[in-house]
Structures are given as C-alpha cells and as structure tokens.
Amino acid sequence: MNIEVHMSKSTQIIQEEQGDPGIRSATPQNITVVLPAFNEEVSIGSIVLLTKHYCDNVIVVDDGSSDRTATIARRAGAHVIVHEVNRGKGAALKTGFAAAADLGADIIVTMDSDGQHNPSDIPKLVAPIIDGYAEMVNGSRYLTHQDKNTPIYRRFGQTILDTATKMNSGLKITDSQSGFRAFSASTKKVFRFNARGMAIESEMLADAGRSGLRITEVEIGVRYDVDGSTMSPIKHGLGVLVMVLKDVEFNRPLYYFTAPGVLLWGGGLTMGVSFLHNYNAVGQGLNFGPTILMILLIIVGTFMALTGVLLHSMSAVARKTEAA
C-alpha cells in the first residue's frame, strides 16, 4: 500500500534549506507573506517574484500609493489589496493579517517592500514556528553583533529604541525595529495595529510580551543602499520613542510610575525623620535647601505613585472592554 505525502511548496523548500528532511514534520504549512507598500513601484515587482519562491501566497497591501505599486505587484503574481488613502503601516498590517487568514495561512511573515530584506531568509525565519517552540520570530540584524553595514547614527538610535521597547514589552530583543518577522496565524488577534508609522514594530512587541507569546530571534541580513524612506532618521526615531513611552504609561504604570514614586516618597520621608531626630537630639534647626528637597520628594513621589495606580486601573478597564 503506497502512502503519498503532499507538502506545500514552502514546506519542501524549508526542508531542502535545512538539508535534513527527516528532522521536520512533513505536515503542510501554508506560509503567507504580507508586504505593506507605499509608493514602491521600483522594488515591489522583484520582491514579489523572489518571495514567491519561499511561500505559498504573497499579499501586497498598497497603502494609498500614488504610483503603480498595485499594478506591478498584481502582474508579479501577488494578491493585492488597496487602501484608497494612506492609513499607516499598522493598518496595512492589520489588513494583511486578515487577508492571510482568509487564504488559510498557518504562518504569516511580514517583510519590508523596499528590498532591504532578503526573501531567502524566510525558511530560517519560519523554522522555529514549524518546529513548535515559538509563536513569533523576530529577524535580527544584531543577534551576533556581526552587522557591519549599519551606520553609526542608526545603531545609536537603535540602542535607545531597543532599551525603551524592552522596558515596555519585558522582552530581551536585540532588534526591536525589525520589520522582518514570522508569526503563527493564531496570534493575529493579539495585536492592536494602532501605530501609523514604523512604531508598529515596537507596539507589536509590547502586545506580544503582554500576551506571553513564545518569541525567539534569528539572524537576518539587511541592505541599506535601497532605503527609500523619506523621513529623517532623527524624526523617525523620536516618533517611535514617544509612542513607546506613551505605551509604557498605559501598559506598565505600576512598574514605571508607582514603584519609583514610592521610592521618592520613602526618600523624602526618611529625610524628614532624620531632620526630626536631629532637631530633638541636638536642637539642630532645619536647613532651607534640604527641607525643600524633602518636601519635593514627598510631593513628587506621592503624585507619581497615585498616577501609576490610576493609569493601572484605566488600563485594566480598557483591556476588559477590548476582551468583551
């Protein structure tokens, strides 16, 4: 009796890339790549054609482009969805994830459409999900600190954004701004997709951390000679940082407001007790400077602690509302 095992193209390619077909399950995995695009007519055709070799479906979400992005992507063989107006990367990803689910995706891969990412890294990116030990995989340029192509100003900004994102998400991620990621399709309801610009990368990590997703990283390459962004790196970085800090206020207020507030309040109270002790013991009067500092510590600490409690209550109510 002959038993035929049918595998999707993406599953076969993954096994061939790894060089040992016996290691992985032969269960077909529908891998769908989502490419958010805005005025990418120069690169989108070649990116779609290359990506099709490593997945089952390619979805291009044309986010209000004024050029031929949608037409070229369609001719290259992508499923194309058009936003009539530019709604931002978060909205484009939300549309793409929904469309991928409609196409029966088991794994959803997100990639930038400007040619920075190499589609040949897709098998490496989805392997941890197929192996069953991750629900989200982050493609990292800095996992082994071997990326020599990143300009110094970019790396400095990345370090700041990585630190802020770690504070917000609780995840130890080496490349928080990577747009090259893989997701188990079951995770799509975890994400808010609220951020309009590139801050969506940090927002998704915050959502993943809050939801307790199993996350790992794999090393990827990147090209900077094809970066078509019209926004200055400083403006972009500041925008992402502001969004992350706002998210911190809402998602982890007890940790970042109440805890420091209690410490400040405790410091002010300790100073007050010390002043009273010195006054009663040796009759030493109160110095103007230290007394003002004590009062400020108590006032600021109390304000921060109460603010954290209030924000925590608001966050809990908001999450219950979202869940309902």
Side-chain angles (χ1 to χ4, degrees):
M1 179 177 179
N2 294 326
I3 301 176
E4 294 184 0
V5 178
H6 298 278
M7 295 187 295
S8 68
K9 176 174 63 177
S10 53
T11 305
Q12 291 173 329
I13 289 175
I14 290 168
Q15 293 183 346
E16 290 169 4
E17 290 278 334
Q18 296 298 323
D20 188 353
I23 293 178
R24 289 200 158 72
S25 167
T27 302
Q29 296 283 329
N30 181 309
I31 298 173
T32 296
V33 176
V34 174
L35 295 168
F38 178 66
N39 291 336
E40 298 288 1
E41 65 176 10
V42 174
S43 59
I44 195 65
S46 58
I47 293 300
V48 170
L49 291 172
L50 289 171
T51 302
K52 286 172 63 179
H53 290 292
Y54 301 97
C55 65
D56 298 283
N57 303 293
V58 179
I59 297 172
V60 172
V61 182
D62 182 358
D63 192 31
S65 297
S66 58
D67 62 6
R68 298 181 300 152
T69 294
T71 300
I72 294 173
R74 195 173 287 112
R75 289 177 179 174
H79 299 268
V80 178
I81 303 171
V82 177
H83 290 173
E84 294 302 326
V85 296
N86 183 262
R87 294 162 53 188
K89 189 174 182 180
L93 288 176
K94 184 176 183 179
T95 297
F97 270 56
D102 291 340
L103 291 174
D106 298 301
I107 299 173
I108 300 172
V109 176
T110 61
M111 255 176 53
D112 291 343
S113 54
D114 58 5
Q116 285 197 52
H117 299 140
N118 189 342
S120 65
D121 283 332
I122 291 175
K124 182 167 55 174
L125 204 69
V126 302
I129 298 177
I130 292 177
D131 283 344
Y133 63 85
E135 295 164 296
M136 174 178 172
V137 181
N138 191 60
S140 174
R141 294 161 285 183
Y142 316 117
L143 189 60
T144 57
H145 307 287
Q146 293 181 349
D147 183 19
K148 306 298 183 183
N149 298 319
T150 308
I152 295 177
Y153 70 89
R154 279 182 178 267
R155 196 67 191 100
F156 177 74
Q158 284 281 354
T159 300
I160 295 175
L161 295 179
D162 288 348
T163 302
T165 302
K166 288 176 187 177
M167 290 171 56
N168 189 27
S169 66
L171 301 172
K172 294 182 179 180
I173 296 295
T174 62
D175 190 358
S176 66
Q177 302 308 300
S178 173
F180 199 5
R181 292 170 175 168
F183 307 82
S184 171
S186 62
T187 67
K188 67 184 184 66
K189 292 184 179 180
V190 164
F191 304 107
R192 290 169 287 169
F193 300 112
N194 286 340
R196 282 189 56 87
M198 307 306 287
I200 185 62
E201 322 298 0
S202 292
E203 180 188 281
M204 293 182 79
L205 287 174
D207 292 340
R210 189 179 66 189
S211 299
L213 296 185
R214 292 174 297 155
I215 302 174
T216 190
E217 291 190 296
V218 298
E219 188 173 9
I220 59 168
V222 66
R223 293 178 58 187
Y224 292 106
D225 59 326
V226 296
D227 187 2
S229 175
T230 58
M231 182 182 294
S232 72
I234 295 176
K235 184 177 180 180
H236 161 67
L238 289 176
V240 174
L241 184 61
V242 169
M243 188 286 301
V244 172
L245 293 177
K246 287 182 178 179
D247 218 28
V248 169
E249 290 180 2
F250 191 74
N251 288 325
R252 310 189 75 182
L254 291 180
Y255 189 75
Y256 293 105
F257 284 92
T258 301
V262 169
L263 290 177
L264 291 176
W265 182 85
L269 185 63
T270 301
M271 290 178 67
V273 171
S274 176
F275 293 161
L276 288 176
H277 173 73
N278 291 335
Y279 179 78
N280 291 328
V282 297
Q284 179 180 342
L286 296 178
N287 294 322
F288 179 77
T291 302
I292 293 298
L293 177 61
M294 175 195 71
I295 294 172
L296 285 175
L297 287 176
I298 292 176
I299 292 175
V300 173
T302 302
F303 176 76
M304 288 182 65
L306 292 177
T307 298
V309 171
L310 179 61
L311 288 173
H312 177 72
S313 300
M314 293 171 60
S315 176
V317 171
R319 291 194 184 103
K320 288 180 180 178
T321 302
E322 290 176 1

